[in-house]
Structure formats: C-alpha cells, structure tokens
Amino acid sequence: MLLESYLQDTWATPTAADATAVDVCDAVTGETVCRVSSQGLDLAAAFDHARTHGGPALRGLTFHQRADLLDALAAAVRARREELYALSARAGATPNDARYDVDGGIRVLRDYAARARTELPDTPHLIEEPAERLARGEDFLGVHLLTPSPGLMLQVNAFNFPVWAPLEKLAQAVLAGMPSVVKPATPTAYLTERLIRIVTDAGVLPPGALQLVVGSVRPALDLLGEQDVLSFTGSAATAATLRTHPNVVARSVRFNAEADSVNAIVLAPDVTPGSPLFEAFVREVVTEMTVKAGQKCTAIRRVLVPREHEAAALDALAAELADVTIGNPATEGVRMGAVVSLAQRDDVRRAVRTIAASGRFVYGDPDKVRAVDADPERGAFLDTLLISADPEAAAPHEVEPFGPAATVLAYTDTAHATDLIARGRGSLAASLVGDDLAWTTAFVREAAPWHGRLHLLDSTNMTQTTGHGSPLPALRHGGPGRAGGGSEMAGTRGVVDLMQRTALQASPRVLDLLRTTPTGPSADSA
C-alpha cells in the first residue's frame, strides 16, 4: 500500500512505480507495513497553497484565537490516541514508549495554548516593551514589533518521535501565524500519516495550515524563500547538507537544526556507591538506554564516573540491565522493544563495535539477543549494550550509537571530567549527579557553553526529576556545535523566534493603536 500525502486539503496518491517506492517494514515481525514515495506530487502547488491560504488565515487570528486551535487539535488527537498507540507497536515501541511520544505531543499543544493566553496579548502581533524615548520630547518612541512572516515552515522530522515532533513544531508555528508542511521520516511515516488523518478528520485547522508530504522533499528545497523556515531534526551529517543547500544559502532561508549528539551524565566524586543518589544515577542511565530502545536524541551515550567508582558503577549498571526484558512490545512484561528497522540495527552494531575497539563490552552482545515472543532475526532487536572504554579514545566522544547503548568513561579529576564532556563538541543535554554544591556550580560554569540543557540531580530533587532525556515545553530544546545550533520549544520564546522582529520609530498614538488592535490587515485578505 502506497501511503498518501495530504496536499492542498486533499489526500493525494503518488504516481510511483513499484521500483521507485521504498518499503517500510514492521520493526517486530519484518512484514511490510506500507510503501513510501513522493513521485508525481505537486510540491510547488502545495507550497503556494500554504502561503496563499493557510498563512493569511492564521495571520488573521490573534494569539489567543490561535491558542484555541491548539486546544482543539489536542482534543482531537487525544480522542483517537489509541490508534496511534497501536501503530506505534509496529515501530518497536512499548506502550510506555508510545505514550511518551503521543501523550507528550498532546501535552505540548496544551502547554503552548495555556502559555499563549497568559504570556501573549489578544492581538495578531506583539510589541516588545518598554518603549525607548528617542528624542527630548515624548512624542517619538522606539519599540520592536513582532509580526508573523508570510511564509511557511517545512518540517523535516526524524523517525523516533513521529507524533510528538510534528505536533511540537506545529504548536509554535500556529501561534506564530505560520502554516506547516510536514515531511516525516520514512521508517515511521505511517504513524505521522495517521496523525494527520486524525487532525484533518477533525477539521480543526484552517485550509492550508497543515500539509503532509510522504517521501522525499529534496526538490522542495529549491522552493523555499526568504520568509520560510526549514526546521530539521535528524543526523548532524544531514543537517550540514541542508544548511549548505544553494537555495537555502542564497535566499537566507531560516534554518533550525536539532541534530544528534553524544550526551553525557557525570557522577560527582562525592556520590558513594550504594547510596540513594548513586542508585538514582544508575536508574537514570538504564532508563535512557531502554526508553524507545535508546532511540532518543537526548539519550545518554557517555557515562562519566570517577576512576575510584568505575568498577562499582559498571557492576550496578550491568545488574540493572539484566532485569530488562526485551521482545515483542505487545507482550506483557516486555520493557524494551525493537529499534525501528533492520538498517538501524546494523547502524548501531557498527557504532558500538567502533567504540568497543578501545575497550570492551561489559554487558550485552551486539550480535545476540533473546527476544520474548518474537523472532530476533526478522525483527530489529538489540540487546542493551554497556561498554567500558578508554576515555582518551576518540570514538566514544564522536560516534553515536542511536540505540540501547552507553559507554562508561572513567575520569581522574574534575578538570579531566570537564575536558571529556567538551569533547562531544556540543550536546543537547547533560546530567550532573552530586550533592557537593561547590563542585556542581564549578562544573556547570565549564559545561554550560557546550550544552543546550543541564539536568542537575541531587538528593533534594531526585524523587521529583522529570528525567535527563525529557525535553519540556517551557525550556529550550537544542544545543550548540554538533547538536545543530538550533532551538525548539523554549515556551513563548520559541514562538517569537519564528516571527519577524522590526524596529518601529513612531508616535505614542500609533504604538497605542498597535498594542490594542485585535486584528490586522492580513485578516481582511484572508
């Protein structure tokens, strides 16, 4: 079955011949789920539809009216979320993994709707206060005006969050008055396709506000213009290719990247093996290795421990991993399912072997796994893989195994630890575990420039933490360097990042009118 795309408010079937379509297989059974192609789809017309219909309709609404759309969207998805749960199992997701993706997306929609009503005015634009007096008198003032851009957002999403990712980006785009064209990753395109069907069936968004392209959108990169946004989530290599695309460069297309990174967790020297905080550290590592089978851009890849606690950490982690049941995610008691595809399994195997060349496997075998209620050869199953490696080797800091794998690296002192964590060349997130406040604050000052988010775990908050790998709508999600240099979410900061900031020099009466006008000129043309 060829998946359909949703373009110009209509479901469209590609014209691909059998030889040009890509097979998408069930991660658990190996059976073909669907075929994917974008051949024959009129992307130019779709982009034009977004700009001429979806954009004006959204720009004609106030922030609060756009928030109403997000609430309606969240309700529509929640009403049919069981469909998305069921399909998620075909991608190897356990029920907990599915809820992480689906319910997480719903929560982001609701969070943004609530924030828009409390933090943004009931107008279609925003004036940043206070005004600057520009002359001796009081009749010539300066402010910055934030207005919706008359373009579109092209979402190029990764396979690991086929529901959360498009909803998260859609939330910000809708509030910013910008229509979205969603391009899902091929291995889980059928999940995003079902999500878009749920949304379109509900009829909660204006025509042209949301479209879906299943398959390649490479030709569409030439269609992007100065008012558009290209929002990418995926590998650092692909991000580099998109960033340097000739049209993206020539037309200064706004590019936002959230790329892979070798995120770390650091155990402070003051944490004693066997203590409650040490046990919390172990749970954090194992959780990040097993949720979504380690297929999270924020998952822990490097585990930095003091040299004197290395043996204890390895023993504790191995013991915890031994209790993880792997197999068919639909089977009761299974804690970790498959990775998304056989190709992804092979990628992880290559990565862990490269890292282990400078050390050894402490737990797990990349070539062997016992999968409950499933064929481990037909399904894309992997064991949990714990590696102990030389901290001075390059591979642990450069190679990311995007699956259920982590590498333990022993450091000698604080300076060594800060040096090691920086060798990742920029990460989305890092966790610091310890009660020594002086050590933590000193480490934060060194580590912060290399990270988009720092998760500081101590004895006072370890029972309340949302976890190392959980991005939150109120906080920035992104990171410097290898992590892409982009920024997503961050509350209403992320909304205004999508808007045009223009300096206005005007009289108070003009500014007062702009502050209170509930609708703008775009409403008349919608």
Side-chain angles (χ1 to χ4, degrees):
M1 175 191 74
L2 276 171
L3 278 187
E4 292 183 313
S5 292
Y6 187 72
L7 304 174
Q8 298 177 267
D9 308 315
T10 302
W11 287 99
T13 303
T15 59
D18 289 346
T20 63
V22 176
D23 288 338
V24 178
C25 297
D26 188 305
V28 178
T29 67
E31 298 172 349
T32 299
V33 177
C34 62
R35 312 195 77 212
V36 167
S37 173
S38 61
Q39 185 170 318
L41 299 178
D42 192 342
L43 301 184
F47 278 34
D48 182 66
H49 184 65
R51 296 187 185 109
T52 58
H53 291 80
L58 290 173
R59 295 196 299 274
L61 302 175
T62 68
F63 287 114
H64 294 189
Q65 290 169 328
R66 296 170 200 158
D68 291 341
L69 296 180
L70 298 187
D71 274 336
L73 181 57
V77 177
R78 189 179 191 281
R80 293 175 58 181
R81 59 182 174 175
E82 295 293 336
E83 298 175 33
L84 297 169
Y85 291 165
L87 270 183
S88 296
R90 306 204 73 175
T94 65
N96 184 57
D97 294 337
R99 287 189 292 269
Y100 195 107
D101 182 27
V102 177
D103 293 1
I106 295 170
R107 283 194 295 271
V108 169
L109 291 173
R110 289 179 166 171
D111 184 278
Y112 267 97
R115 289 180 184 280
R117 295 191 186 94
T118 58
E119 299 176 19
L120 297 173
D122 194 19
T123 60
H125 49 250
L126 173 67
I127 291 181
E128 292 181 323
E129 305 286 3
E132 299 282 347
R133 198 167 75 174
L134 304 177
R136 290 184 178 181
E138 298 182 355
D139 294 325
F140 190 51
L141 304 178
V143 296
H144 285 95
L145 174 69
L146 290 155
T147 53
S149 298
L152 60 85
M153 174 188 282
L154 174 59
Q155 298 185 20
V156 181
N157 292 321
F159 67 77
N160 53 335
F161 284 98
V163 177
W164 182 339
L167 291 181
E168 170 217 310
K169 295 178 182 180
L170 183 63
Q172 289 182 298
V174 166
L175 286 180
M178 179 173 281
S180 288
V181 178
V182 177
K183 189 276 184 218
T186 294
T188 50
Y190 55 90
L191 264 162
T192 306
E193 189 256 10
R194 179 63 62 87
L195 169 68
I196 303 303
R197 285 192 184 275
I198 290 172
V199 174
T200 57
D201 287 350
V204 297
L205 294 176
L210 176 62
Q211 299 180 82
L212 171 73
V213 179
V214 174
S216 173
V217 290
R218 189 165 297 277
L221 298 178
D222 289 319
L223 304 174
L224 294 172
E226 294 79 3
Q227 294 291 336
D228 298 325
V229 172
L230 174 56
S231 182
F232 170 76
T233 303
S235 73
T238 303
T241 300
L242 295 176
R243 193 190 307 274
T244 56
H245 185 276
N247 186 59
V248 171
V249 174
R251 304 191 69 173
S252 299
V253 176
R254 284 180 290 171
F255 178 65
N256 190 75
E258 187 255 286
D260 56 18
S261 60
V262 280
N263 310 295
I265 186 170
V266 184
L267 184 70
D270 67 290
V271 182
T272 305
S275 66
L277 190 54
F278 183 85
E279 292 173 357
F281 154 79
V282 171
R283 287 194 300 272
E284 201 71 32
V285 175
V286 173
T287 295
E288 291 302 308
M289 291 178 67
T290 55
V291 171
K292 294 188 73 68
Q295 297 168 112
K296 290 165 54 189
C297 55
T298 53
I300 293 168
R301 308 301 179 193
R302 296 178 295 162
V303 183
L304 276 60
V305 299
R307 174 70 69 186
E308 62 269 25
H309 297 329
E310 180 184 17
L314 290 170
D315 289 345
L317 289 167
E320 188 77 13
L321 291 171
D323 290 334
V324 176
T325 302
I326 302 167
N328 188 327
T331 301
E332 186 175 353
V334 167
R335 182 171 168 185
M336 191 180 86
V339 295
V340 74
S341 66
L342 294 177
Q344 184 63 25
R345 182 182 68 181
D346 292 342
D347 283 347
V348 175
R349 284 173 170 171
R350 282 191 291 270
V352 295
R353 289 192 188 103
T354 300
I355 296 171
S358 66
R360 63 188 176 91
F361 286 102
V362 175
Y363 185 89
D365 184 329
D367 297 313
K368 297 178 182 178
V369 62
R370 184 171 60 85
V372 174
D373 198 23
D375 184 338
E377 294 305 315
R378 289 181 58 83
F381 293 97
L382 279 167
D383 201 350
T384 50
L385 302 165
L386 184 67
I387 303 166
S388 174
D390 178 0
E392 302 306 319
H397 308 289
E398 297 176 358
V399 178
E400 184 190 23
F402 203 74
T407 304
V408 175
L409 305 167
Y411 67 87
T412 55
D413 54 32
T414 302
H416 189 211
T418 57
D419 174 65
L420 291 177
I421 203 170
R423 294 188 195 183
R425 297 182 295 110
S427 298
L428 296 170
S431 285
L432 309 180
V433 184
D435 277 329
D436 185 334
L437 297 182
W439 183 90
T440 298
T441 53
F443 201 99
V444 165
R445 284 193 291 270
E446 296 297 322
W450 293 101
H451 296 85
R453 176 168 56 88
L454 290 177
H455 171 239
L456 310 180
L457 194 63
D458 61 33
S459 295
T460 65
N461 64 20
M462 64 182 183
T463 61
Q464 301 176 39
T465 176
T466 53
H468 165 97
S470 298
L472 300 173
L475 300 178
R476 180 195 184 206
H477 179 51
R482 172 176 173 155
S487 180
E488 296 177 3
M489 296 196 291
T492 52
R493 301 176 192 86
V495 176
V496 301
D497 282 348
L498 294 176
M499 304 178 76
Q500 174 60 43
R501 179 179 280 103
T502 302
L504 288 186
Q505 297 169 287
S507 65
R509 64 177 186 169
V510 172
L511 298 181
D512 286 342
L513 184 62
L514 284 169
R515 289 186 183 99
T516 58
T517 302
T519 56
S522 59
D524 298 329
S525 60

